[in-house]
Amino acid sequence: MRDRVRIEQKLGFDKIRGMVQALCSTETAKNMVLDATFSAEPGRVKNLLSLTDEMRVITMLESGFPDSGYVETTHFLKQLENDNFYLDVASIVKLRTSLETLRQIILFFSKSKEGAYPNMKRLIENILLFPEITRRIDSILDRFGEVKDNASDSLFTIRKSIREKEGTISKRINSLLKKGQKEGVIDLEATISVREGRMLLPVAASNKKKIPGFVVDESATGKTLYIEPMEIVELNNLLKELYFAQQREILKILVEFSDFLRPYREELLLSSGLLAQIDFIWAKARFALSIGAGMPVISEERELNLKNARHPLLERALKKEGKKIVPLTLSLNKNKHILLISGPNAGGKSVCLKTVGLLQYMVQCGFLIPASESSELTLFKDIFIDIGDEQSIENDLSTYSSHLSNMNAILKNATDNSLVLIDEFGAGTEPTAGGAIAEAILEEIEQRGCFGVITTHYGNLKLYASSSRGVINGGMQFDVGNIMPLFKLETGAPGSSFAFELAKKMGLPEQLVKSAKEKAGTEFVDIERHLKKISRNRRAWEARLAKIKTTDKTLENITEKYQKELSGIQEIKKQVLGEAKAQAAELLAQANKKIEATIKEIKESQANKEKTKIARKQLSTFEKRVKESEESETDHKVARKMEQLIRRKEKSEKRKREREKSDSVVPSQKNSAPNRKSLGPLEKGDKVRVKGGMLMGEIIEIDKKNVTLAIGSVMSKMALSKVEKISNNEYLGGASKGVKKQFSVIESEDVSQRRLNFTPNLDLRGERLEQALDKVTRFIDDATMVGVSEVKILHGKGNGILREEIRKYLKSMWGITSFRDEHISHGGAGVTIVDLDK
């Protein structure tokens, strides 16, 4: 792309590069940041974004990914091409560190869930591990990076001789020190000094002739001389020779290792490059977390939809001042592909334009952007900008001439696959001529199908946009009451300059402002007045629309609730009818038996009139009872089931209200069991109930603070204050009424398997609300069973609906003490941390 450096400086992307570079550990990764180029290839851009997004999730949620050990090895591996080059000890230490980091990365992805992080797994497919190289390094260096004594047999012998020789010298010179101190030649508080590896005696200058030897050094004052006694000279010379031999042997070991390493040079360079690439991706991911960035959708339908977009550099600057940025939301498509923004000075027009340009540039360079993940961006072949004053004395260019030069470049090269960003369109010359030229250029850009964001104050451009097919007006909102900009963009209507209001606020005389209005003419003042009225009406309608949407959402939830209840009733009806039919079949069988018995009795009595009459009467009575049962049984059962359902619902709502009033004890339990103290203190083997619920169990172990309960086949440890003693009758009664039934489900599940598979993170992005709530229920149940105190739910930011509904649901769940947003560097409002009652 033309003028890449100029565009990056104008948009601020050069500062983004610098911030990401600072997070890289290796020089190769830092060079990759500089080499990250603007791309219009969808496949490449999606891959770069996906890699960064997966690394962002890993950094945010995972704990096993290596966060250190990214060291530079490329430069000395390349030099192995020279047969005379060998690696020094520091380089071998770096090589071992890089190989260990690669091993940890491969181990992390091998242990991750199947299907997780597919792009990162494809990236590391080509990473090679070199176990033999690692083994050879470990045989040469210890864990502190020093050459081992047994790196070779010769080195072992040499170092043994060095230690022996040093011991001999130490004993001899200590003997000489004591002798000198005894004779008064050496000060009693003096100690042996070491200079350049030689052991020396500190002797006063006046006594130097009393200690035969060589003066090696003297103190700063010259009063003390450091003498190597003659007896030690030969020993020190022998020791120095041993040190030289040690260096030669170490050099030999390093050369041999370098020769061993040379055939692996290409493969090692490949692995080194992949490690640097992971370092680069990790730096981008950490930067994305620091600015609250996410991965947008790459649109194939030529759409640019930014939702809650924020300028990362401006947001950082405002945060330091304790201020919040106003997010930007805008939409462009193939029908309305140019946004013309107008409004007051310092109202945020240029910020909107630069936000669009910077975020678009970041995406096409493979960087995540601070905007909602539901944002959509199309890819452009070129970006053309005209921002700021580019006048040049050297090139004899005025402000307006520089603008025209940029316009000429746009007209020569822009296509329907270009993004055009123009700030203060038409400014810098006489308004009438400048506005006319700007309108002609705007018309040409529109006809070419370019996408664009343009800011202006010119009224003729606003009028052009209002009647144009491809250009849409946008205005920056302004608080007329307080005479201050709101920095919020609203599309569909142009913005007013509010020049007269700002002039009043800045203290210009009211009479002067009134005179200016008269000079501007009634037509201009009326247009400004109408623009203000449109702005006010638009905000009012937006407020009403938001209220309607909220009402629609509430109605939708109520409808869904009633549909579920209706489905439940229909299921109950079906069940009751089935039971009724079974009973009817049983009654019919009984009737047949009765008839057969009656016929048999009549035959056996040989048609005795009295007995026949009695049999017929009994049969008639039985037939009547069967008919009444058939007619009423089903209706009665349905009615009873409906009554049970209503009572159950009332009890559920009552319990919910009671839980909201008190987290300790359910009121109904207080009333039903006022004499719990009379049951005595808790002991091993007692039957207890968990306060606030129907769970009952037997105490297996008890101490001062906690009890261990056997609830069915599940062992549970909880605080002593959370259980209350019950009688054996209550325990048996509760079990017969369904408590055991609750645990039959628990007992049927493979508890140990769920414990092994449990992870404290739940990803709900892309889930429908009903499915998400079902997963949350199972997730919290598993977390409670496992006994963790904190879990994380990743739901993304989006428009916030999923987050809000999940949090409403969490409020109604048992065992949850609190929940909160994750730290901004780990996902912020896109992640909910849930604290559980252990």
Side-chain angles (χ1 to χ4, degrees):
M1 190 170 63
R2 301 173 183 83
D3 302 329
R4 191 190 87 169
V5 175
R6 170 180 161 271
I7 290 173
E8 291 186 5
Q9 288 176 348
K10 290 288 184 180
L11 295 177
F13 187 72
D14 57 330
K15 294 183 175 66
I16 301 293
R17 284 190 194 271
M19 292 176 182
V20 177
Q21 263 192 317
L23 296 172
C24 294
S25 300
T26 63
E27 284 300 319
T28 304
K30 291 178 180 180
N31 291 332
M32 287 179 178
V33 177
L34 291 176
D35 295 337
T37 54
F38 184 90
S39 174
E41 299 175 17
R44 182 173 184 272
V45 172
K46 287 179 182 178
N47 183 58
L48 292 173
L49 294 175
S50 297
L51 287 169
T52 308
D53 191 52
E54 288 178 6
M55 187 63 80
R56 179 182 67 93
V57 175
I58 290 170
T59 307
M60 186 168 54
L61 299 178
E62 302 284 0
S63 58
F65 192 81
D67 56 2
S68 61
Y70 298 90
V71 294
E72 186 65 75
T73 59
T74 305
H75 60 285
F76 61 74
L77 288 174
K78 285 182 177 179
Q79 293 184 68
L80 280 175
E81 188 176 12
N82 182 357
D83 292 339
N84 295 323
F85 176 78
Y86 65 91
L87 272 64
D88 57 16
V89 173
S91 297
I92 296 175
V93 170
K94 287 183 178 180
L95 180 60
R96 179 170 65 180
T97 302
S98 69
L99 293 177
E100 174 59 21
T101 305
L102 287 169
R103 188 191 67 79
Q104 291 178 14
I105 290 170
I106 291 175
L107 181 63
F108 170 81
F109 285 110
S110 67
K111 288 184 176 181
S112 63
K113 291 182 180 179
E114 185 178 353
Y117 318 124
N119 294 282
M120 285 300 301
K121 286 179 179 177
R122 277 196 297 272
L123 177 68
I124 67 163
E125 282 178 351
N126 295 324
I127 291 182
L128 298 175
L129 294 179
F130 303 90
E132 180 58 24
I133 294 177
T134 303
R135 189 193 66 77
R136 287 287 293 268
I137 293 174
D138 290 339
S139 70
I140 296 171
L141 303 180
D142 61 19
R143 61 193 182 94
F144 301 108
E146 300 293 336
V147 179
K148 290 181 175 180
D149 290 352
N150 60 355
S152 73
D153 294 338
S154 298
L155 184 62
F156 182 83
T157 303
I158 293 168
R159 285 187 173 175
K160 183 180 178 182
S161 299
I162 288 173
R163 286 191 292 270
E164 290 173 352
K165 197 66 67 180
E166 285 176 341
T168 302
I169 293 172
S170 179
K171 288 179 182 178
R172 185 60 188 149
I173 200 164
N174 274 302
S175 175
L176 292 172
L177 175 67
K178 290 178 181 178
K179 181 181 177 183
Q181 288 174 332
K182 188 175 181 181
E183 294 174 353
V185 177
I186 300 174
D187 191 76
L188 291 174
E189 296 180 357
T191 58
I192 295 168
S193 181
V194 178
R195 294 286 193 278
E196 298 178 359
R198 291 176 174 268
M199 293 184 179
L200 310 174
L201 293 174
V203 180
S206 58
N207 296 327
K208 66 178 180 179
K209 292 184 179 179
K210 296 179 181 180
I211 302 290
F214 295 101
V215 177
V216 177
D217 200 0
E218 68 177 6
S219 65
T221 60
K223 293 180 179 180
T224 302
L225 301 177
Y226 295 95
I227 298 174
E228 183 179 23
M230 194 64 69
E231 297 178 37
I232 306 299
V233 171
E234 186 61 30
L235 291 173
N236 270 336
N237 288 336
L238 291 173
L239 181 63
K240 199 164 189 177
E241 288 178 9
L242 287 172
Y243 275 119
F244 287 144
Q246 176 184 246
Q247 290 302 317
R248 288 194 297 272
E249 184 59 26
I250 289 174
L251 179 62
K252 179 183 176 184
I253 292 169
L254 296 179
V255 169
E256 287 178 355
F257 176 74
S258 299
D259 291 338
F260 160 76
L261 205 63
R262 227 175 294 279
Y264 299 100
R265 174 178 169 276
E266 294 300 325
E267 291 81 0
L268 286 169
L269 279 171
L270 177 63
S271 295
S272 175
L274 284 171
L275 184 64
Q277 190 174 357
I278 293 171
D279 181 24
F280 167 50
I281 295 168
W282 190 41
K284 289 199 297 179
R286 283 179 288 156
F287 176 72
L289 285 171
S290 71
I291 63 173
M295 178 177 170
V297 178
I298 301 302
S299 172
E300 298 178 0
E301 301 296 328
R302 303 287 293 160
E303 292 184 354
L304 195 158
N305 297 314
L306 283 175
K307 299 176 183 178
N308 296 321
R310 308 175 311 280
H311 195 292
L313 303 178
L314 176 61
E315 187 174 27
R316 282 198 169 198
L318 291 175
K319 192 173 182 180
K320 290 179 181 178
E321 299 175 8
K323 299 177 182 178
K324 289 187 176 181
I325 195 169
V326 180
L328 169 67
T329 297
L330 62 82
S331 179
L332 297 175
N333 53 53
K334 58 186 178 183
N335 296 322
K336 292 290 185 180
H337 48 91
I338 297 177
L339 174 64
L340 185 74
I341 305 175
S342 51
N345 285 317
K349 300 189 300 297
S350 298
V351 171
C352 289
L353 180 143
K354 289 182 178 180
T355 300
V356 174
L358 177 58
L359 268 54
Q360 183 69 44
Y361 201 91
M362 286 175 67
V363 164
Q364 294 197 228
C365 288
F367 290 73
L368 302 182
I369 60 172
S372 170
E373 291 183 351
S374 58
S375 298
E376 293 183 71
L377 282 81
T378 189
L379 301 182
F380 299 103
K381 183 181 177 182
D382 295 294
I383 295 180
F384 295 93
I385 65 170
D386 180 39
I387 300 173
D389 188 357
E390 296 186 23
Q391 61 178 321
S392 170
I393 296 174
E394 292 85 354
N395 297 325
D396 195 24
L397 283 176
S398 66
T399 299
Y400 190 63
S401 297
S402 68
H403 286 314
L404 289 179
S405 177
N406 291 331
M407 293 303 105
N408 190 35
I410 292 171
L411 295 174
K412 282 183 177 180
N413 303 295
T415 66
D416 61 349
N417 199 19
S418 300
L419 175 64
V420 177
L421 305 171
I422 305 175
D423 193 25
E424 298 294 348
F425 198 22
T429 189
E430 193 275 324
T432 304
I437 293 172
E439 185 174 341
I441 294 172
L442 178 59
E443 184 177 5
E444 178 63 23
I445 294 172
E446 179 198 357
Q447 289 176 358
R448 293 190 185 188
C450 303
F451 274 61
V453 178
I454 298 171
T455 70
T456 189
H457 285 287
Y458 284 1
N460 66 309
L461 299 182
K462 300 177 191 178
L463 291 172
Y464 175 85
S466 63
S467 60
S468 168
R469 292 183 59 186
V471 185
I472 183 172
N473 268 308
M476 303 306 299
Q477 293 185 13
F478 192 84
D479 185 346
V480 181
N482 296 312
I483 316 297
M484 60 182 295
L486 299 176
F487 305 107
K488 186 175 181 181
L489 173 70
E490 61 177 13
T491 56
S496 170
S497 65
F498 292 96
F500 300 125
E501 287 78 4
L502 288 170
K504 284 183 181 179
K505 183 180 180 181
M506 297 306 295
L508 268 67
E510 189 172 343
Q511 187 60 37
L512 188 147
V513 175
K514 185 178 179 181
S515 174
K517 284 184 178 180
E518 292 173 355
K519 292 178 182 297
T522 56
E523 184 178 351
F524 175 80
V525 174
D526 287 344
I527 290 173
E528 289 287 302
R529 188 183 297 115
H530 286 311
L531 288 175
K532 295 170 194 172
K533 187 176 180 181
I534 289 169
S535 178
R536 284 195 299 270
N537 290 341
R538 185 182 181 88
R539 284 196 292 273
W541 282 112
E542 283 179 350
R544 290 185 185 182
L545 182 61
K547 188 175 180 181
I548 290 169
K549 285 182 177 179
T550 304
T551 305
D552 286 347
K553 182 65 180 175
T554 304
L555 288 173
E556 185 180 333
N557 291 337
I558 292 172
T559 303
E560 185 179 355
K561 180 182 175 183
Y562 284 146
Q563 284 177 344
K564 287 182 180 179
E565 290 183 357
L566 180 61
S567 299
I569 291 170
Q570 289 174 344
E571 189 65 31
I572 291 171
K573 181 180 177 182
K574 184 178 178 182
Q575 181 183 347
V576 171
L577 287 174
E579 292 174 0
K581 287 179 180 179
Q583 289 179 359
E586 185 180 351
L587 285 171
L588 184 60
Q590 291 178 8
N592 287 332
K593 288 180 181 179
K594 187 71 174 175
I595 291 168
E596 288 174 1
T598 303
I599 293 170
K600 184 179 179 182
E601 187 178 349
I602 291 171
K603 285 180 178 180
E604 288 176 351
S605 64
Q606 295 180 351
N608 183 284
K609 287 185 178 180
E610 190 61 32
K611 287 189 175 181
T612 302
K613 187 177 180 181
I614 293 169
R616 284 179 176 175
K617 187 177 180 181
Q618 289 176 347
L619 185 61
S620 176
T621 303
F622 181 76
E623 183 182 2
K624 185 178 181 181
R625 183 162 58 86
V626 170
K627 286 182 177 179
E628 288 175 354
S629 176
E630 287 177 346
E631 290 172 355
S632 63
E633 187 66 25
T634 300
D635 293 337
H636 289 167
K637 282 207 170 189
V638 171
R640 283 199 301 273
K641 287 290 183 181
M642 290 298 293
E643 288 174 3
Q644 289 175 4
L645 186 64
I646 292 168
R647 284 199 299 272
R648 195 178 302 152
K649 185 176 180 182
E650 288 174 351
K651 287 181 180 179
S652 176
E653 291 177 351
K654 184 179 179 182
R655 283 197 297 270
K656 186 177 178 182
R657 289 195 299 271
E658 288 169 349
R659 279 199 300 270
E660 290 174 354
K661 292 178 182 176
S662 173
D663 293 326
S664 57
V665 181
V666 180
S668 61
Q669 291 180 337
K670 289 181 181 178
N671 297 333
S672 63
N675 298 317
R676 292 288 170 208
K677 291 183 180 179
S678 64
L679 295 175
L682 294 176
E683 296 178 356
K684 185 176 179 181
D686 282 345
K687 307 299 189 293
V688 293
R689 178 194 289 116
V690 179
K691 292 180 179 179
M694 294 298 294
L695 299 182
M696 301 179 187
E698 181 179 349
I699 297 178
I700 304 302
E701 293 180 7
I702 185 169
D703 55 31
K704 292 181 179 180
K705 295 183 179 180
N706 301 307
V707 291
T708 301
L709 301 182
I711 306 174
S713 63
V714 177
M715 304 294 287
S716 177
K717 188 174 182 180
M718 61 184 67
L720 192 63
S721 61
K722 291 192 175 183
V723 299
E724 59 182 2
K725 190 173 180 180
I726 60 174
S727 66
N728 287 334
N729 290 336
E730 283 180 287
Y731 178 78
L732 294 173
S736 64
K737 289 178 182 177
V739 176
K740 289 183 179 179
K741 185 178 178 181
Q742 295 179 23
F743 285 94
S744 64
V745 178
I746 297 175
E747 292 171 11
S748 66
E749 292 196 29
D750 189 348
V751 177
S752 61
Q753 190 64 32
R754 289 171 69 186
R755 283 178 182 272
L756 289 172
N757 293 335
F758 179 76
T759 56
N761 304 312
L762 177 63
D763 190 346
L764 296 176
R765 292 177 297 174
E767 297 283 355
R768 296 180 66 84
L769 179 59
E770 187 175 350
Q771 297 169 338
L773 294 182
D774 182 60
K775 287 189 176 182
V776 168
T777 302
R778 292 186 61 83
F779 179 60
I780 297 298
D781 287 347
D782 288 352
T784 304
M785 179 185 65
V786 171
V788 298
S789 60
E790 180 183 288
V791 293
K792 295 181 181 180
I793 300 176
L794 174 60
H795 42 64
K797 297 178 183 177
N799 52 22
I801 293 175
L802 182 59
R803 170 180 176 269
E804 183 180 349
E805 292 300 325
I806 287 173
R807 292 195 170 188
K808 284 181 183 177
Y809 187 62
L810 289 173
K811 287 181 182 178
S812 67
M813 295 188 73
W814 181 83
I816 294 175
T817 58
S818 64
F819 51 81
R820 63 190 183 278
D821 285 347
E822 175 62 280
H823 189 272
I824 184 65
S825 64
H826 293 133
V831 179
T832 294
I833 298 178
V834 183
D835 295 317
L836 302 174
D837 190 2
K838 290 190 69 176

